[in-house]
Amino acid sequence: MIRNNVIFKSILPALLAATALFSCSPSSEETTLPILGEREAIEKEVDGKTVTDTVYHQIPDFAFVNQDSQKVTNATLAGKIYVADFFFTSCPTICPKMKSQMLRIYEKYKDNPQVMLLSHTIDPKHDTVAVLKEYAERLNVETAKWQFVTGDKDSIYDVAMQYLVPAQEDQTIEGGFTHGGHFVLVDENRHIRGIYDGTKEEAVDKLLSEIPLLLKAQPHAKK
Amino acid sequence: MQKSRFVSGLIGAVALVSLTQCFTQKKNEGERLYAEHCQSCHLEDGKGLRGVIPPIAGADYLENHRNELPCLIRHGIEGSITVNGVEYNQKMPGVETMPEDDITNLLNYIQTNFGNQNRRYTLNEVQDLLNLCPPHQH
């Protein structure tokens, strides 16, 4: 049991991460995406027998506010797959590139309500609802498809960690924040199914090729 | 006679080669400066970010506001501007420390790349234009 736990807690995730990093693009129809993040093996008694259940890392409940001042929670995204990222509107470094790549996903899945985009600002002090609204309007994107959310600063940084994206305030660097340019692909059970570098066109190509795999695997997916 | 013609031809060729080399180097210099200071926002292809950051590629602004560009690079720009019929309004920071010859190389790079075929600047011209920069807060 202890050994099992060690395997599940340390080796397996490492292996999974390695597979995720090094696997080539999926070629066969059966390919499924891994579930990323820590996982735990929980043993329980069922009818007198010991059964092992694997509990996968799941994005916990959250509550933010979007560019239209509406509340956005995990319920807003229920039954959808979505791509999450972290940015701020005045970011001079990687964000324009990230947003131009996110637009590719937006354009490709514009007409598929099954796919949503969720961009969190890590600078809620500056990026108020009004600022996010103007940003979204300038990008000419629909709220129903692409949510720009702000909220309590600590909650945003906490949820970034849950998405496995580093984000930090840092006055010593240009822009005042450091953050990863990751795009995180999340399935309808709020499991992380892929993490991609949102500043690299090739990585986003891979993301675009993996979304259909996930859509196919979703019970509610519509053609 | 034959020989001197050959020699002058040779000198000409050498001059031409070093001249082109000089130009290529300037182009590389402009390219390097663009990658270092501009690309994160205006992106590798010079197309900017839809509605938020205006394009360099095919931008009418480069021609219509040619004389303001040295100051724009040095001091940045903010407020509403229109590029190819689209309105933008987001602050661009200046690169206050960029020397005049770098500004010249960089401007010549953006004026003649990304599909642009606009007039180049001389160093003198850029110096004169920089002396006329409007008041700014720094």
Side-chain angles (χ1 to χ4, degrees):
Chain A
M1 155 143 189
I2 287 174
R3 227 186 80 228
N4 256 342
N5 248 332
V6 168
I7 290 180
F8 273 105
K9 280 202 122 158
S10 53
I11 302 174
L12 239 177
L15 265 178
L16 275 170
T19 336
L21 278 173
F22 296 116
S23 64
C24 347
S25 356
S27 48
S28 80
E29 294 258 317
E30 288 90 340
T31 316
T32 51
L33 302 174
I35 295 177
L36 305 180
E38 280 220 5
R39 56 184 57 189
E40 245 174 303
I42 294 190
E43 297 192 347
K44 52 180 186 186
E45 298 254 326
V46 179
D47 300 333
K49 278 181 239 156
T50 317
V51 196
T52 311
D53 248 3
T54 309
V55 176
Y56 294 96
H57 174 65
Q58 188 184 36
I59 305 298
D61 290 359
F62 55 83
F64 297 116
V65 178
N66 73 8
Q67 67 263 46
D68 294 339
S69 285
Q70 295 157 335
K71 210 165 167 182
V72 174
T73 68
N74 37 288
T76 316
L77 296 138
K80 317 254 183 198
I81 71 169
Y82 65 97
V83 180
D85 76 343
F86 294 81
F87 86 115
F88 55 110
T89 61
S90 59
C91 153
T93 50
I94 57 174
C95 304
K97 180 80 201 243
M98 286 170 72
K99 289 289 160 281
S100 76
Q101 292 299 316
M102 198 62 110
L103 271 173
R104 293 176 63 203
I105 309 173
Y106 179 89
E107 291 299 337
K108 183 150 178 205
Y109 287 98
K110 217 175 178 168
D111 301 320
N112 186 339
Q114 204 62 32
V115 180
M116 283 182 69
L117 308 177
L118 179 63
S119 289
H120 308 72
T121 178
I122 54 166
D123 184 10
K125 205 163 126 206
H126 176 267
D127 290 343
T128 57
V129 166
V131 169
L132 293 179
K133 171 116 195 126
E134 180 174 351
Y135 195 81
E137 272 173 2
R138 288 191 173 276
L139 279 179
N140 192 19
V141 297
E142 310 255 338
T143 309
K145 165 95 358 191
W146 191 346
Q147 306 273 352
F148 289 88
V149 296
T150 181
D152 172 53
K153 197 165 112 190
D154 290 338
S155 318
I156 295 171
Y157 284 78
D158 285 351
V159 89
M161 245 163 58
Q162 296 290 337
Y163 284 106
L164 311 179
V165 175
Q168 222 178 340
E169 222 170 335
D170 184 351
Q171 292 309 328
T172 62
I173 60 143
E174 204 188 344
F177 299 89
T178 52
H179 66 115
H182 308 71
F183 288 173
V184 183
L185 179 59
V186 184
D187 71 15
E188 62 166 22
N189 299 315
R190 279 185 275 149
H191 292 145
I192 298 175
R193 306 303 292 271
I195 300 179
Y196 313 82
D197 184 345
T199 67
K200 299 245 156 57
E201 193 160 344
E202 316 80 65
V204 177
D205 288 346
K206 183 162 189 280
L207 168 56
L208 284 170
S209 74
E210 294 189 344
I211 289 178
L213 295 177
L214 201 51
L215 280 174
K216 212 173 280 174
Q218 300 291 316
H220 301 129
K222 290 185 210 122
K223 266 268 138 178
Chain B
M1 176 73 192
Q2 274 302 83
K3 200 175 168 191
S4 75
R5 198 186 266 173
F6 173 74
V7 168
S8 60
L10 198 73
I11 291 174
V14 167
L16 201 73
V17 168
S18 43
L19 236 153
T20 23
Q21 240 169 20
C22 182
F23 273 133
T24 3
Q25 224 152 50
K26 277 206 175 131
K27 183 187 170 220
N28 289 345
E29 190 55 19
E31 200 171 348
R32 188 187 66 74
L33 290 163
Y34 182 83
E36 183 178 342
H37 296 286
C38 322
Q39 185 165 300
S40 66
C41 285
H42 293 282
L43 303 189
E44 294 100 306
D45 58 4
K47 292 203 176 123
L49 174 60
R50 177 163 110 189
V52 179
I53 293 169
I56 298 295
D60 58 3
Y61 199 94
L62 296 188
E63 279 182 275
N64 298 343
H65 297 260
R66 183 177 193 278
N67 291 346
E68 297 156 31
L69 297 187
C71 297
L72 184 152
I73 290 185
R74 178 164 281 179
H75 302 298
I77 179 172
E78 63 182 300
S80 167
I81 65 168
T82 301
V83 182
N84 297 343
V86 179
E87 193 250 353
Y88 296 85
N89 191 353
Q90 168 118 350
K91 188 174 175 212
M92 164 175 155
V95 190
E96 304 278 338
T97 52
M98 192 181 284
E100 289 157 348
D101 53 341
D102 280 1
I103 295 182
T104 311
N105 283 337
L106 176 57
L107 282 175
N108 286 336
Y109 176 73
I110 63 173
Q111 291 285 20
T112 59
N113 282 279
F114 306 111
N116 299 333
Q117 292 180 318
N118 302 325
R119 205 148 50 85
R120 302 172 65 91
Y121 298 77
T122 62
L123 178 58
N124 272 337
E125 192 184 0
V126 167
Q127 281 166 337
D128 289 346
L129 290 170
L130 283 171
N131 285 332
L132 299 173
C133 285
H136 50 89
Q137 299 122 20
H138 291 294

